[in-house]
Amino acid sequence: MTELSELSVQEHQATTERLLKGIPASAGIAICSHNVVVIKKLRPSKNIQVSPEKIPAEIKKFSIAIEKSLAEITSVIHNDHETAIHDIMETYSMILQDPTLQQEITKRIYTTRSAVQAIEDEFDAQCALFQNAKDEAMRERSAELDHVRHRLLVHIGKRKPISSISNGAIIISHSITPTDLLELHKRGVSAIITEIGGIASHVSILARSLRIPAIIGIPNITKKIPENCTVICDGYSGTVVINPTANTLLDYEQEQVKEQKKQKALGQIIELPCETTDKHTIKLSANIETLEEVDAAIMSGAMGIGLVRTEYLVKSDGSFPSEDEQYIWYKEIAERMYPHTVTIRTFDVGGDKKGGVKREENPALGYRGIRFLLGNKKIFRTQIRAILRASNHKNIKIMLPMISQVKEIKRAKKIIDSVKHQLREEQIPYDTHISVGIMIETPAACCIASDLGKYSDFFSIGSNDLAQYTLGADRNNGYVADMFNELHPSVLRLMHHAVTGAKANGISVSLCGELAAWNTITSLLIGMGITELSVATPALLLIKSKIRKTHFESAKKTIEKILLSGKIPKEFRAKSKKRKTMK
């Protein structure tokens, strides 16, 4: 796992202000002068050996660490109501109770290794099998082992617990996993800053959803933060300010106050229509991964859930939830959101997501999305049954991921019809007219959109993957972050082609990728003909405000000029408002 070292500031030191620039991954400002936490990689322990007579005591230390770790995990499972946390903790529990792992560590202790050394040696050996894998799910397995190692070392007294992180902390780390972020969110962290990461990575998306300011892509940041310092994290511009001057500090404190006032002002438009100045209505929905996000979306005035990422239910070990587990989850979301619609995307596993097959040479272009589902019909049928059972209130829609061929829709709908027939025979009620739509996230899908639309009830454009596949730039790779551009003319033209294909078939088209949350280009998306925008909950009111200031007919003319010329005016390029770089 990682070693925690807290930089507690007792009094401000007169040191030189320094600025570090990274990639703004999640908007917001956090200021911390007493609670900065640096999460460093574990340093290998020295070759710690013990005398033979101390072996029983070391084995006892290891046994107690196992017991305490399991008790801690059990407590979290009983006291936390979030399904994803349960799955993570259950995975940790299974690793801790693995008899082979326990036996191997015990064997190492019998060779006069200390309990600490035996744990680190065995986990190093286990992690080595996974950490260099090309497949993201395999690398995540390595991260899970590191989490378990850390818990054991905490209870032996070798490492500080993550529970020592207190409310309001700014976290500085080489990287953050989704698991890390969920745990840190529970602890009330105010911001995260990492050395690596991608703007469209799942951690960045999750940070935006959880309203945690985040900056990524600052090399060696864990070595550049000195002890006894004040840190400002500007998630709008991607600026980290170390030891700010009094003027800089005052400037950012005033910015925080302005943001609070802005959010309060946005709250006043919750009940107002989501329409342009010339009365063109746009449906504004939320993207969610957890149940708690549904209530937040409702409070922010969401007109529906445009994307439920069901792969969030896939367990950390890659196993899939049962039909009843899924049914309960989908039913809860639909009931909370009623009468507004809920669009449930079937498992989009593989590629950069957990689940799917292991050790693909090129997982992003491999066995993922609908390809995986059609090749694993039992998993697909189980999910469709759960969705249909939960559709009794008639406010659920099904969305198929990663479609690139007509035959994929036909095969998927044939399976859906088969499940419907089975439910009728069992006299289980469901929405007999449930809509089935598709994700448009490959250049191929955009090019044959008019054909795909003949078999679809709606389109939803996934701008993240569409940009990735069009530009050949991995959205999770920090090395090509500057090449990942969702406003590239080729991406916009492909999106427009998809919109045209939807209109030709009289079906609606939404955008549920991260592009939908860029308030600077909201008018372009509306002008293109997109009828629904689905964004992370924190962005709902900001986008609604932008919609209400947009003139639809003018927006149409603007996007037509851009599509024809291939040139994006400067005012549309920035993802977030620019800030003056302070010296």
Side-chain angles (χ1 to χ4, degrees):
M1 174 64 177
T2 47
E3 182 176 3
L4 304 182
S5 89
E6 188 169 342
L7 310 177
S8 180
V9 178
Q10 301 301 327
E11 55 184 87
H12 183 74
Q13 294 185 343
T15 53
T16 304
E17 176 181 288
R18 288 195 296 139
L19 300 182
L20 298 176
K21 287 290 291 182
I23 300 169
S26 181
I29 295 173
I31 302 172
C32 188
S33 60
H34 66 284
N35 195 11
V36 178
V37 177
V38 177
I39 302 182
K40 296 180 178 179
K41 288 184 176 181
L42 282 172
R43 293 186 296 271
S45 296
K46 295 179 180 179
N47 190 15
I48 306 172
Q49 292 188 303
V50 296
S51 56
E53 62 269 18
K54 290 186 178 179
I55 289 176
E58 293 300 308
I59 290 175
K60 186 174 182 180
K61 279 185 187 179
F62 172 53
S63 297
I64 291 173
I66 290 282
E67 291 174 6
K68 287 184 176 180
S69 297
L70 287 171
E72 181 181 64
I73 287 170
T74 300
S75 176
V76 172
I77 291 173
H78 286 164
N79 295 321
D80 197 299
H81 301 294
E82 185 54 61
T83 303
I85 295 293
H86 286 194
D87 292 343
I88 291 165
M89 292 298 133
E90 285 171 359
T91 298
Y92 292 169
S93 179
M94 286 190 291
I95 294 173
L96 282 166
Q97 295 180 79
D98 182 0
T100 301
L101 180 69
Q102 292 186 17
Q103 289 168 12
E104 290 302 316
I105 292 174
T106 301
K107 285 180 184 178
R108 291 179 185 274
I109 296 174
Y110 272 116
T111 63
T112 69
R113 290 284 196 274
S114 69
V116 168
Q117 187 68 56
I119 290 169
E120 293 196 348
D121 287 351
E122 182 57 31
F123 274 88
D124 280 343
Q126 294 279 343
C127 287
L129 299 174
F130 300 101
Q131 60 190 6
N132 295 319
K134 291 184 179 180
D135 182 56
E136 180 66 22
M138 299 289 281
R139 294 196 296 273
E140 283 187 10
R141 180 67 173 175
S142 175
E144 289 163 0
L145 288 168
D146 265 343
H147 279 278
V148 174
R149 181 205 331 232
H150 177 77
R151 289 179 183 274
L152 289 172
L153 294 179
V154 161
H155 291 298
I156 287 180
K158 177 69 176 176
R159 299 283 181 258
K160 291 182 180 179
I162 199 168
S163 59
S164 66
I165 294 176
S166 57
N167 185 61
I170 286 182
I171 306 300
I172 316 291
S173 178
H174 172 71
S175 63
I176 294 285
T177 67
T179 304
D180 288 330
L181 192 56
L182 283 168
E183 288 199 53
L184 292 170
H185 173 58
K186 297 288 184 181
R187 309 245 168 238
V189 298
S190 61
I192 60 170
I193 305 169
T194 66
E195 297 181 346
I196 63 173
I199 187 67
S201 69
H202 295 289
V203 169
S204 295
I205 292 172
L206 186 57
R208 292 190 283 275
S209 178
L210 297 174
R211 300 177 189 245
I212 300 175
I215 299 173
I216 59 178
I218 304 181
N220 300 314
I221 183 67
T222 56
K223 299 176 182 177
K224 293 178 180 178
I225 301 293
E227 293 187 357
N228 301 322
C229 70
T230 296
V231 172
I232 297 173
C233 172
D234 182 348
Y236 292 101
S237 66
T239 303
V240 177
V241 187
I242 303 169
N243 289 320
T245 63
N247 287 337
T248 298
L249 196 58
L250 178 61
D251 187 19
Y252 271 103
E253 286 172 346
Q254 290 175 341
E255 286 291 341
Q256 283 185 314
V257 172
K258 288 179 183 178
E259 286 302 315
Q260 291 169 0
K261 290 181 178 179
K262 182 179 178 181
Q263 290 301 318
K264 186 176 181 180
L266 286 174
Q268 297 175 1
I269 69 171
I270 289 177
E271 300 299 328
L272 297 178
C274 188
E275 60 185 18
T276 62
T277 56
D278 46 347
K279 305 301 180 182
H280 183 79
T281 300
I282 299 294
K283 184 176 181 180
L284 188 57
S285 302
N287 299 334
I288 71 156
E289 295 180 350
T290 66
L291 281 176
E292 63 183 12
E293 291 178 281
V294 178
D295 294 335
I298 292 170
M299 291 176 64
S300 296
M303 300 162 68
I305 302 297
L307 171 63
V308 178
R309 295 186 176 99
T310 61
E311 54 275 7
Y312 194 76
L313 293 175
V314 180
K315 301 181 189 301
S316 297
D317 62 0
S319 61
F320 289 80
S322 69
E323 179 183 326
D324 283 342
E325 286 175 321
Q326 293 183 62
Y327 162 70
I328 292 169
W329 201 66
Y330 304 148
K331 181 173 179 286
E332 181 74 16
I333 294 172
E335 288 181 347
R336 289 191 192 187
M337 206 65 212
Y338 187 83
H340 298 301
T341 57
V342 172
T343 302
I344 299 177
R345 183 175 68 187
T346 53
F347 294 128
D348 188 10
V349 299
D352 59 342
K353 304 177 179 72
K354 63 185 177 181
V357 297
K358 311 298 182 186
R359 296 180 180 172
E360 285 188 274
E361 284 299 316
N362 195 339
L365 298 178
Y367 200 50
R368 58 165 301 190
I370 194 64
R371 303 167 185 177
F372 173 84
L373 294 172
L374 293 177
N376 292 269
K377 293 185 178 64
K378 183 176 180 181
I379 292 172
F380 189 36
R381 290 180 65 89
T382 297
Q383 183 174 31
I384 294 300
R385 273 186 64 94
I387 294 173
L388 289 173
R389 286 173 57 197
S391 71
N392 205 29
H393 289 301
K394 296 180 172 52
N395 68 324
I396 286 180
K397 298 195 290 185
I398 297 172
M399 185 157 65
L400 306 173
M402 200 64 186
I403 295 291
S404 59
Q405 302 180 64
V406 169
K407 68 178 182 181
E408 290 171 332
I409 307 178
K410 288 183 175 180
R411 289 177 62 192
K413 293 185 78 172
K414 186 175 181 180
I415 292 172
I416 293 171
D417 288 341
S418 172
V419 174
K420 286 181 178 179
H421 177 73
Q422 186 181 58
L423 291 176
R424 284 196 299 271
E425 287 190 333
E426 297 175 21
Q427 297 186 337
I428 296 175
Y430 66 91
D431 180 4
T432 55
H433 299 290
I434 192 168
S435 295
V436 178
I438 65 171
M439 289 287 292
I440 300 290
E441 47 195 333
T442 66
C446 293
C447 291
I448 61 168
S450 58
D451 296 324
L452 296 174
K454 296 173 184 176
Y455 304 92
S456 308
D457 294 318
F458 63 90
F459 284 169
S460 185
I461 299 172
S463 59
N464 303 341
D465 272 329
L466 180 58
Q468 165 174 265
Y469 293 127
T470 304
L471 302 173
D474 183 355
R475 67 192 181 110
N476 293 309
N477 190 331
Y479 293 111
V480 293
D482 60 333
M483 298 179 67
F484 183 82
N485 177 17
E486 292 167 293
L487 286 184
H488 192 283
S490 62
V491 178
L492 292 179
R493 285 171 178 166
L494 284 169
M495 287 172 53
H496 183 255
H497 203 86
V499 172
T500 302
K503 287 182 178 178
N505 288 282
I507 61 175
S508 64
V509 57
S510 68
L511 179 70
C512 63
E514 290 301 294
L515 197 62
W518 294 12
N519 67 307
T520 52
I521 64 159
T522 301
S523 61
L524 299 185
L525 300 176
I526 294 172
M528 189 181 289
I530 290 170
T531 54
E532 177 182 355
L533 297 175
S534 190
V535 301
T537 298
L540 281 166
L541 292 178
L542 181 62
I543 298 303
K544 184 174 184 178
S545 175
K546 187 67 176 181
I547 290 170
R548 289 181 54 80
K549 295 175 183 176
T550 297
H551 188 273
F552 177 60
E553 292 300 327
S554 297
K556 281 174 63 178
K557 294 177 182 178
T558 300
I559 190 62
E560 285 171 3
K561 290 179 182 178
I562 290 174
L563 291 170
L564 185 63
S565 68
K567 296 179 181 179
I568 310 295
K570 188 176 180 180
E571 64 266 27
F572 295 113
R573 295 177 194 164
K575 288 187 183 182
S576 55
K577 65 180 182 179
K578 295 181 180 290
R579 293 182 180 274
K580 180 177 68 175
T581 301
M582 291 163 286
K583 300 179 180 179

